[in-house]
Amino acid sequence: MTFHTPVLVSGAAGFIGFHLSKKLLEIGCEVVGLDNMNDYYDVRLKQDRLKVLQSASGFRFFQIDLTDKTSLDELFKKSAFKTVINLAAQAGVRYSLTNPYAYLDSNLTGFLHVLEACRHFPPDHLIYASSSSVYGANKKMPFSVHDNVDHPLALYAASKKANELMAHAYSNLYHLPTTGLRFFTVYGPYGRPDMALFLFTKAILEGRPIDVYNFGKMKRDFTYVDDIVEGIIKLIPHPPAENGNWNSQQPDPATSFAPYQIFNIGNNKPIELLHFIEVLEEKLGKKAIKNFLPLQEGDVPETYADISELEKKTGFAPSTSIEVGVEKFVNWYFAYYKIKK
């Protein structure tokens, strides 16, 4: 697999951005990472991820917020990136219920600045993070990139759908090849502390109850972070081309007459939340105290990724089981926080 470097990774100190940057460095790529290092969660975790990246040769870091258009343009001008991977965003469905304005700056204004930088200093390929949350009220399973997704259940999901629409406009107007990736419930070492696996692990070890929404009946297509990274890297050398068979009478949301494409990256195997907790209890060697609650506003009861387009394009399909993935997370957690088993 060959592609031009350096690769720009925004959100490089974030969960997925860190793992992607680390893997790119391991396979010999030069990586330019940028991150605003905000305090949405403990900045020390971001700093520790950065230390790992900065210990490798071929990594350069810039602390830039995507809303700082001048600094972003200057970086693009100096570096002439051939591959741009935008993973910087304000994350979290539940956070968007109480802090909606945070999503406008990062997810809309920030992404517009990335698109404008790519317009003026064109890469071969812009890859950006979307989310499985865009499927919103859809009930047809598994979720397919060919299905309409016009009914988001929370502002976070709406902001990610907006990213896809913005990318399409730039693909059309400026012939910018853009690939949107809908990630499905990503977990693994160095994960975000606001996500279920991290919260559950901490609470169980401390003997505190865990909040189990939808009475544990929720299903999620839990995807181990290494599988997400592998999917991204395999897509880098495949910038989308115009779909010559695209039909405006029956428009396919996943492709276009412009160089634009959408992919799901998920494990293709939804797991009930209660089973996920059982696996975690087994790996921790300790039972959880469960506080059962109804489905929270903005949450979807089930996610399930149709990954046939990803397989068709790259030959790759995520395959890490939750037993393997959760064990790797637990081992990291004990090591990182210096907890004796």
Side-chain angles (χ1 to χ4, degrees):
M1 186 185 305
T2 58
F3 43 84
H4 297 287
T5 62
V7 176
L8 175 66
V9 178
S10 72
F15 171 38
I16 300 173
F18 159 70
H19 282 280
L20 175 63
S21 298
K22 185 169 176 286
K23 183 65 176 179
L24 286 168
L25 291 164
E26 286 169 3
I27 63 175
C29 294
E30 289 179 60
V31 176
V32 173
L34 63 87
D35 203 290
N36 67 359
M37 303 297 286
N38 70 22
D39 61 357
Y40 169 59
Y41 57 82
D42 191 350
V43 177
R44 287 174 297 181
L45 184 57
K46 298 181 182 183
Q47 290 168 339
D48 288 342
R49 294 179 187 135
L50 261 187
K51 283 176 191 170
V52 173
L53 297 177
Q54 288 171 328
S55 68
S57 60
F59 182 76
R60 288 181 290 145
F61 177 71
F62 296 87
Q63 187 167 337
I64 295 174
D65 194 298
L66 294 186
T67 58
D68 181 356
K69 186 177 186 303
T70 303
S71 297
L72 192 64
D73 285 348
E74 193 62 31
L75 181 62
F76 269 75
K77 186 178 180 180
K78 285 179 180 174
S79 303
F81 300 112
K82 293 299 183 184
T83 302
V84 174
I85 304 174
N86 182 56
L87 301 177
Q90 178 56 60
V93 170
R94 288 172 189 162
Y95 189 71
S96 72
L97 304 181
T98 52
N99 297 274
Y101 290 98
Y103 293 77
L104 297 181
D105 288 343
S106 180
N107 298 12
L108 298 181
T109 303
F111 188 57
L112 177 61
H113 290 168
V114 171
L115 288 168
E116 276 290 294
C118 289
R119 170 192 172 187
H120 293 293
F121 310 100
D124 292 338
H125 197 180
L126 166 62
I127 297 174
Y128 61 95
S130 183
S131 166
S132 62
S133 66
V134 301
Y135 289 102
N138 287 25
K139 295 285 191 240
K140 176 173 161 281
M141 296 287 172
F143 291 148
S144 168
V145 291
H146 302 294
D147 293 337
N148 181 286
V149 288
D150 283 344
H151 298 88
L153 299 180
L155 183 65
Y156 170 69
S159 75
K160 287 300 187 177
K161 171 64 176 172
N163 285 172
E164 295 178 3
L165 297 173
M166 293 161 73
H168 185 272
Y170 274 70
S171 293
N172 171 51
L173 291 170
Y174 308 112
H175 207 72
L176 173 66
T178 66
T179 296
L181 304 179
R182 294 173 180 168
F183 299 143
F184 281 70
T185 316
V186 190
Y187 72 99
Y190 283 97
R192 291 200 339 252
D194 63 317
M195 294 187 74
L197 180 56
F198 209 113
L199 291 170
F200 289 171
T201 299
K202 189 172 191 297
I204 292 169
L205 290 174
E206 292 173 0
R208 293 183 293 104
I210 61 172
D211 289 339
V212 183
Y213 289 98
N214 202 29
F215 307 101
K217 299 299 180 187
M218 240 162 13
K219 287 186 176 180
R220 287 290 179 269
D221 207 342
F222 293 101
T223 314
Y224 189 63
V225 67
D226 287 359
D227 285 335
I228 294 284
V229 165
E230 190 69 19
I232 296 171
I233 290 174
K234 285 190 179 298
L235 282 167
I236 292 175
H238 296 287
E242 299 88 343
N243 179 0
N245 298 317
W246 196 84
N247 182 353
S248 59
Q249 299 296 317
Q250 295 178 306
D252 173 13
T255 65
S256 177
F257 52 86
Y260 165 94
Q261 193 153 7
I262 300 290
F263 292 95
N264 287 332
I265 306 186
N267 209 42
N268 193 228
K269 188 182 179 183
I271 302 289
E272 193 170 84
L273 182 58
L274 273 181
H275 179 57
F276 187 75
I277 293 168
E278 286 169 5
V279 172
L280 177 59
E281 289 173 325
E282 181 195 330
K283 302 304 179 186
L284 289 173
K286 190 173 182 182
K287 286 288 184 184
I289 305 163
K290 303 177 188 74
N291 179 30
F292 290 103
L293 296 166
L295 186 69
Q296 192 171 39
E297 203 69 36
D299 268 356
V300 296
E302 183 175 356
T303 66
Y304 179 6
D306 177 343
I307 55 169
S308 55
E309 292 302 328
L310 178 69
E311 287 186 273
K312 197 185 302 180
K313 179 67 75 172
T314 66
F316 170 73
S319 60
T320 305
S321 69
I322 59 162
E323 288 79 12
V324 170
V326 168
E327 184 169 20
K328 287 184 176 181
F329 172 82
V330 167
N331 289 342
W332 166 80
Y333 191 94
F334 276 87
Y336 183 78
Y337 289 104
K338 299 179 173 60
I339 300 168
K340 288 185 179 178
K341 283 194 175 184

